Amino acid sequence: MINFNEPIYINKGLNYISDAIFINKRLNGDGVFTGKCKKWMESKFSSNEVLLTTSCTHALEMGAILCDIKAGDEVIMPSYTFVSTANAFVLHGARIKFVDIRPDTMNIDEKLIENAITEKTKAIIPVHYAGVACEMDTIQEIAKKYKLLVIEDAAQGVMGRYQDKYLGSIGDIGCYSFHETKNYTMGEGGAILVNNLNFKERAEIIREKGTNRTQFFKGEIDKYSWVDKGSSYLPSEMNAAYLYAQLEIAEEIKENRLATWDFYYQGLKILEENGFIELPFIPENCTHNAHMFYVKAKDLDERGNLIHYLKSNGIGAVFHYVPLHSSIAGLKYGEFIGEDHYTTKESERLVRLPLYYGINKQDVEYIVKKVCDFYIRH
Ligand SMILES: *Cc1c(COP(=O)(O)O)cnc(C)c1O
């Protein structure tokens, strides 16, 4: 069986965990390795402050608190996304305004955002699907015009770029995931990029259970206490240690994934040219990170058959995202603004193929062959 995903394993990751335990003798949050990850990301992604978190879900929740989301506020996002993008804001009483996606990138259609803005709108949440950037210049302009905040869900976008900027570093806040299924992993984990300096101090407080403990450790104050709402969003040093080994070779990991992505693309191009499937599209001004390789079948039926065929040939292909606006919670907490031209239709066609760091070249060749065989047979 070729698994859909396998977690990254790097020898150094284990050594670093051992260092955290036996040398640094410190396992709780914000120790040596968390600090190294933070510094590395701040310098690489040019963000004012990067805080490691327990997940991207939690980074998004911190974002909602920083935006002061209150009952009745509205936020705009695509319906084609993971539940956490919406949940983080629903938890604080927001109503979700779902907007249609572009069929080429599966990202929010920037041209439809303005139509969803009302007096209650607080923020726009672009999701960089598959590590391919949303049209951020347009989104930033709209946000400026209507005085809205931008929180990037860059869970899938670590190391991807829009023009010369890293995803997650463009909006007021950016959120990364280091979940096992993402490009860089600590099992469960994430980061919040605080690009807007106005949020810096408060972000540290919210992450430290609503205390000013971080300032205390920096020597800025002489005792710490409860100053704001917050929670515990600090990951363990063991998780940070595992992640740091990957950040050190972040480019190599990206190149490895890109090579697999390109191989799929070249191998399956012939099916696209003959009108059987559609392949991912990368706009000119985007540098993607090969988070995902997907193909689009003709429709829901054909996709089901393709996944079944691949499975019966030992290949773990998957689909994802029942559009949020049509889910039980989505119907309760939000609504779709405008016409659903593409969200449902395109999401029903999409199939993700196995892609992970170090995937066997022969396995990828075999998968390409099997996808081609499927279309020859049918
Ligand atoms: C994975 C993912 C998340 C959630 O990340 P966690 O770290 O698992 O909380 C949020 N949004 C998107 C778009 C994702 O792909």
Side-chain angles (χ1 to χ4, degrees):
M1 182 77 191
I2 304 170
N3 292 319
F4 171 69
N5 180 60
E6 287 184 13
I8 300 190
Y9 172 73
I10 290 164
N11 279 329
K12 254 192 172 172
L14 268 196
N15 298 339
Y16 286 168
I17 291 176
S18 155
D19 289 353
I21 301 169
F22 299 109
I23 297 174
N24 305 338
K25 298 185 193 299
R26 193 175 170 221
L27 300 181
N28 62 338
D30 275 342
V32 176
F33 283 104
T34 305
K36 281 177 189 281
C37 292
K38 170 188 169 67
K39 284 268 135 38
W40 189 93
M41 287 192 276
E42 282 171 357
S43 133
K44 180 82 183 175
F45 304 130
S46 303
S47 175
N48 279 318
E49 171 147 71
V50 180
L51 300 168
L52 220 50
T53 59
T54 30
S55 64
C56 180
T57 303
H58 282 165
L60 288 160
E61 284 179 26
M62 284 182 65
I65 299 172
L66 286 167
C67 296
D68 270 324
I69 295 293
K70 294 182 303 294
D73 288 345
E74 296 175 3
V75 296
I76 297 170
M77 65 180 65
S79 168
Y80 186 67
T81 182
F82 188 60
V83 292
S84 295
T85 320
N87 259 334
F89 297 88
V90 167
L91 274 175
H92 296 277
R95 290 225 36 103
I96 311 297
K97 302 289 160 170
F98 296 112
V99 165
D100 208 7
I101 52 169
R102 296 164 40 152
D104 57 353
T105 57
M106 305 297 282
N107 282 331
I108 190 167
D109 187 336
E110 67 279 359
K111 293 187 294 300
L112 302 176
I113 292 174
E114 244 177 311
N115 182 46
I117 295 174
T118 73
E119 261 144 47
K120 293 180 180 166
T121 309
K122 269 276 181 72
I124 306 169
I125 326 294
V127 180
H128 305 297
Y129 184 72
V132 179
C134 297
E135 196 43 59
M136 289 308 290
D137 276 353
T138 310
I139 292 172
Q140 291 287 93
E141 256 170 52
I142 296 169
K144 207 166 151 201
K145 182 169 161 195
Y146 293 92
K147 299 196 168 56
L148 306 176
L149 293 162
V150 174
I151 302 179
E152 297 175 71
D153 182 341
Q156 306 177 6
V158 183
M159 294 288 284
R161 275 181 289 146
Y162 174 74
Q163 296 165 6
D164 58 347
K165 295 198 187 82
Y166 281 99
L167 303 185
S169 74
I170 305 163
D172 297 279
I173 290 165
C175 302
Y176 286 164
S177 175
F178 298 121
H179 184 265
E180 179 183 309
T181 52
K182 302 303 199 297
N183 292 25
Y184 306 91
T185 183
M186 51 203 274
E188 300 276 357
I192 181 166
L193 283 72
V194 186
N195 307 316
N196 182 337
L197 272 178
N198 295 333
F199 293 139
K200 186 170 145 96
E201 193 175 300
R202 196 158 176 240
E204 293 172 357
I205 289 168
I206 290 165
R207 178 168 165 273
E208 266 287 11
K209 301 105 188 155
T211 73
N212 48 8
R213 193 163 178 253
T214 306
Q215 285 171 284
F216 172 72
F217 281 123
K218 287 186 195 163
E220 292 169 8
I221 46 173
D222 58 12
K223 60 177 190 301
Y224 80 85
S225 64
W226 186 24
V227 294
D228 201 341
K229 56 174 130 177
S231 188
S232 184
Y233 294 123
L234 289 79
S236 142
E237 269 287 284
M238 290 185 282
N239 299 41
Y242 197 75
L243 175 68
Y244 188 62
Q246 294 158 47
L247 296 182
E248 285 184 314
I249 58 160
E251 292 290 345
E252 183 194 318
I253 291 171
K254 189 182 73 180
E255 290 309 319
N256 180 282
R257 296 184 73 107
L258 279 168
T260 300
W261 197 99
D262 289 338
F263 191 88
Y264 273 132
Y265 194 91
Q266 292 310 324
L268 295 172
K269 220 166 58 182
I270 183 143
L271 291 180
E272 185 175 55
E273 285 160 3
N274 285 286
F276 290 113
I277 59 172
E278 272 176 51
L279 296 178
F281 169 73
I282 314 292
E284 196 83 53
N285 50 6
C286 300
T287 313
H288 76 113
N289 62 357
H291 171 63
M292 188 191 299
F293 194 90
Y294 64 78
V295 304
K296 284 191 202 161
K298 186 170 89 244
D299 54 24
L300 187 64
D301 264 3
E302 189 181 281
R303 175 181 71 179
N305 293 337
L306 175 58
I307 291 178
H308 180 79
Y309 178 78
L310 293 175
K311 201 171 198 173
S312 63
N313 283 282
I315 298 163
V318 302
F319 68 89
H320 67 170
Y321 300 159
V322 173
L324 297 185
H325 76 280
S326 56
S327 66
I328 292 169
L331 289 165
K332 191 164 162 194
Y333 298 117
E335 49 265 321
F336 202 94
I337 306 296
E339 291 285 312
D340 172 8
H341 283 299
Y342 298 112
T343 300
T344 301
K345 187 167 137 250
E346 297 299 303
S347 70
E348 288 179 344
R349 301 173 55 202
L350 190 136
V351 184
R352 303 175 64 184
L353 301 178
L355 200 174
Y356 51 86
Y357 175 68
I359 190 173
N360 218 310
K361 182 97 186 278
Q362 289 91 289
D363 286 349
V364 182
E365 280 168 2
Y366 173 75
I367 297 165
V368 167
K369 183 173 176 302
K370 285 295 151 190
V371 175
C372 291
D373 284 355
F374 173 84
Y375 281 99
I376 290 164
R377 282 175 34 143
H378 293 78

